[in-house]
Amino acid sequence: MRYFKWFLLALSALGLLYLLAAPVNITPVVWKPDTAPALSEAPYQPHTDLAALTTIELDGVGPEDIDFAPDGLLYTGLEDGRIMAIDPQTGKSKIVAKTKGRPLGLRFDAKGQLYIADAYKGLLRLDPSSGQLNLLTNTADSLPFKFTDDLDIARDGTVYFSDASYKFAYHDKVAYPLESGLHGRLLSYHPKLGMAKVLLDELGFANGVTLSPDEDYLLVTETLRYRVRKYWLKGDKKGQSEIWLDNLPGFPDGILYDGQGLYWIALYNPRNAILDRILPSPMLRKVVYRLPTFLQPKVTNTALAIAVDAQGKVKHTLYDTSGKYGNLTNIVRRGDTLYFGSLHERSIGVLSLSALK
């Protein structure tokens, strides 16, 4: 019995040593976020209950982003690399391409070509009529993309897109939030130039990208800093950036201007209280990183999104904790209807604007 106790003590000591000193591939930086705003208070009240949405079912997982082709078909990319074209009325779908990666953001240009931000492959372009898929770029300033994420396209054909992290890849889902480093980049690509240009670096997980209606600035979400940054494309501030929205109640993912005065921001999950508490301590975050997965902070199956005007004033809050549809990543407005993308669902969410409070 005495030997068994010594064995348990030795095992406990080894376990503690592992938690405190085992090598890890993250280098956490000190960051103390502001107190998370309450969803039960202004400006996030009242909520529109997203449990009322309907869905377009898919034969696959993870329609992270969506866009409408000139012929009215809805396009999305799935977790297994398939690009799908879907009739939004009947739900019938067909495979139009396979990236062999993880397609995330996608957007059609004025010529009907589909640009795709693939997390693993880089920036791609698909000709829907021929099915031809081409790699446009996967590096900028001699630094390869590690997590190509979202994009928008200007009227002159310039593609603005994000590389969420040049250090961690899409599958490193625990590493990048616990390190919370500034490894994200905002980039541009023009087809005539054939190369990517870095506009902004040192972003806290660069994610959603959208152009303003006059294309005088870009907005890019910084998921791991709970904020949205503005980058000026024209005027006296051209080439400068500033924080546009700060201290959001969740992790901002996709952002898109709807053509009607509102920016729709999908918040992948509400803020995690445990993560917020350990962010100021690099040592604690390393300990948490070494813990078994089931003991680490969890993502909940919650739906959360906001719509803000050009001044950043919250006009709508969409929220649901029922688990019917969660982990929103993008929102696209088409007429009087909102279409929702998600990283984990097997469907596209649909909600009439008439349901908004």
Side-chain angles (χ1 to χ4, degrees), residues 11-242:
L11 192 63
S12 298
L14 286 173
L16 181 61
L17 182 63
Y18 170 81
L19 289 176
L20 293 176
V24 292
N25 66 336
I26 63 171
T27 308
V29 296
V30 176
W31 181 55
K32 182 176 174 56
D34 293 333
T35 301
L39 287 168
S40 58
E41 299 175 1
Y44 300 108
Q45 278 280 24
H47 304 151
T48 292
D49 188 358
L50 273 179
L53 58 70
T54 58
T55 56
I56 300 173
E57 299 303 311
L58 301 171
D59 179 25
V61 177
E64 200 271 353
D65 195 11
I66 51 181
D67 198 20
F68 282 86
D71 61 6
L73 292 181
L74 190 160
Y75 278 65
T76 192
L78 299 179
E79 190 175 65
D80 60 8
R82 288 179 294 160
I83 303 296
M84 309 295 293
I86 305 153
D87 185 326
Q89 302 302 319
T90 66
K92 292 183 178 180
S93 63
K94 62 181 179 180
I95 302 170
V96 294
K98 296 179 180 179
T99 70
K100 298 182 180 179
R102 187 14 171 149
L104 297 174
L106 65 170
R107 199 71 61 225
F108 279 95
D109 69 3
K111 299 178 181 179
Q113 301 289 292
L114 181 64
Y115 285 76
I116 304 161
D118 188 289
Y120 293 112
K121 299 296 183 179
L123 184 65
L124 311 175
R125 183 173 60 205
L126 171 68
D127 182 347
S129 60
S130 67
Q132 184 175 349
L133 186 68
N134 294 314
L135 170 65
L136 300 178
T137 181
N138 58 9
T139 186
D141 289 353
S142 301
L143 188 63
F145 308 152
K146 206 67 176 279
F147 196 145
T148 326
D149 202 324
D150 197 28
L151 59 92
D152 202 1
I153 304 175
R155 287 184 283 272
D156 69 355
T158 301
V159 182
Y160 296 98
F161 66 106
S162 59
D163 179 23
S165 173
Y166 60 74
K167 181 176 181 180
F168 297 112
Y170 174 79
H171 57 268
D172 296 319
K173 291 182 171 59
V174 177
Y176 46 79
L178 286 177
E179 174 159 314
S180 197
L182 302 178
H183 306 305
R185 297 186 291 174
L186 176 66
L187 308 107
S188 66
Y189 173 90
H190 196 285
K192 290 184 179 179
L193 299 177
M195 60 182 293
K197 175 184 176 182
V198 178
L199 304 179
L200 275 179
D201 57 9
E202 296 187 354
L203 299 176
F205 199 88
N207 202 325
V209 178
T210 193
L211 284 152
S212 67
D214 294 330
E215 299 188 352
D216 53 343
Y217 62 82
L218 282 167
L219 296 176
V220 55
T221 63
E222 289 186 84
T223 302
L224 297 180
R225 286 295 185 270
Y226 313 137
R227 67 192 181 195
V228 181
R229 185 174 289 275
K230 177 186 286 187
Y231 177 84
W232 291 96
L233 296 170
K234 300 176 182 177
D236 295 339
K237 294 184 178 180
K238 181 179 179 181
Q240 299 179 36
S241 73
E242 60 200 53

Side-chain angles (χ1 to χ4, degrees), residues 281-304:
S281 172
M283 185 190 74
L284 275 178
R285 278 145 65 194
K286 287 183 179 181
V287 170
V288 171
Y289 186 69
R290 297 180 185 112
L291 289 172
T293 303
F294 71 92
L295 292 176
Q296 294 170 344
K298 296 292 186 296
V299 172
T300 60
N301 193 28
T302 301
L304 178 59

